[in-house]
Amino acid sequence: NAGVTQTPKFQVLKTGQSMTLQCAQDMNHNSMYWYRQDPGMGLRLIYYSASEGTTDKGEVPNGYNVSRLNKREFSLRLESAAPSQTSVYFCASTTQRQGIGGYTFGSGTRLTVV
Amino acid sequence: KQEVTQIPAALSVPEGENLVLNCSFTDSAIYNLQWFRQDPGKGLTSLLLIQSSQREQTSGRLNASLDKSSGRSTLYIAASQPGDSATYLCAVRQANQAGTALIFGKGTTLSVSS
């Protein structure tokens, strides 16, 4: 099925460990996004990539890095995980064409940092 | 800065009731507005997408309206069912900013009892 695929679905890390969350879309979308969702805070944007080759910071970028590997793939890296990064992470994509596109979300990665 | 507010935060109704969820936003310069559904522990499922030039969209028992000038949208659910129990999220896509992501409200958690 077409859509946004995230891996892994669940992960437990120790403080200080690193990991990369993977995201891939097969809808030929230009733009991709990483959000985190926390209780009481809603969904907040971490980083986004408006098009292949570009990335920009969102609302809460500290502690994260991203790579737009190609048009399909956008990864999120935690270099030194902290308990404050315990969250559910969602990847999303859309077309930027004249702003008319809706967004498609992946099923999420549930990350716990102990 | 765009802010999206959803009222009420939680709603409990008996099966069969018609209900309205409200969403307001502070900046009317939007491309579109999207309603999502999120089941506990799951990802976001898109319900309806309303372009800025449209007044409403319908899908089955769902009807979403948009009044861009007043910064309001409503999601109307007809003949509610227990299966409609979920969190409903409203999000706007800002216009005139390349690569701008969706800005979310914090959601309305709906519980429909049988």
Side-chain angles (χ1 to χ4, degrees):
Chain A
N1 293 335
V4 178
T5 302
Q6 291 184 236
T7 56
K9 294 189 183 303
F10 301 92
Q11 185 71 49
V12 178
L13 288 179
K14 293 182 180 179
T15 298
Q17 286 185 320
S18 63
M19 76 162 296
T20 300
L21 282 63
Q22 306 286 355
C23 175
Q25 53 89 13
D26 58 4
M27 296 169 286
N28 201 35
H29 284 168
N30 306 99
S31 302
M32 299 184 73
Y33 305 82
W34 278 105
Y35 287 87
R36 62 179 287 174
Q37 185 177 35
D38 302 290
M41 302 294 292
L43 281 124
R44 294 179 293 170
L45 181 66
I46 306 171
Y47 269 94
Y48 66 96
S49 172
S51 59
E52 188 178 355
T54 69
T55 60
D56 284 287
K57 296 178 180 179
E59 182 183 358
V60 288
N62 291 345
Y64 305 95
N65 286 300
V66 291
S67 296
R68 184 74 183 266
L69 304 171
N70 47 56
K71 191 171 186 179
R72 291 186 63 248
E73 299 173 286
F74 187 39
S75 63
L76 178 71
R77 182 161 179 85
L78 287 69
E79 291 291 353
S80 179
S84 61
Q85 294 179 304
T86 293
S87 186
V88 181
Y89 292 85
F90 289 101
C91 177
S93 70
T94 188
T95 175
Q96 277 291 336
R97 184 172 64 91
Q98 297 180 344
I100 65 173
Y103 285 67
T104 302
F105 280 77
S107 58
T109 295
R110 283 150 184 81
L111 175 66
T112 302
V113 183
V114 297
Chain B
K1 178 185 173 183
Q2 176 76 271
E3 292 183 1
V4 180
T5 303
Q6 292 187 246
I7 295 174
L11 181 63
S12 294
V13 299
E15 182 176 8
E17 274 203 8
N18 302 324
L19 56 99
V20 174
L21 307 182
N22 296 293
C23 173
S24 62
F25 47 96
T26 55
D27 186 344
S28 62
I30 64 170
Y31 278 129
N32 54 50
L33 183 146
Q34 198 164 357
W35 283 94
F36 295 89
R37 169 186 172 137
Q38 186 175 31
D39 294 293
K42 303 295 185 182
L44 280 69
T45 300
S46 180
L47 297 174
L48 290 165
L49 171 67
I50 312 177
Q51 301 298 340
S52 61
S53 59
Q54 297 175 323
R55 296 287 291 182
E56 65 179 331
Q57 282 286 337
T58 298
S59 176
R61 294 183 294 107
L62 305 179
N63 176 277
S65 68
L66 175 64
D67 184 341
K68 196 176 71 165
S69 61
S70 68
R72 296 175 188 271
S73 177
T74 61
L75 179 66
Y76 175 82
I77 302 176
S80 58
Q81 303 171 357
D84 294 329
S85 299
T87 296
Y88 292 81
L89 296 164
C90 166
V92 299
R93 184 172 183 178
Q94 203 70 16
N96 302 323
Q97 295 184 46
T100 301
L102 286 179
I103 301 168
F104 282 85
K106 294 184 178 179
T108 294
T109 299
L110 172 65
S111 176
V112 182
S113 56
S114 57

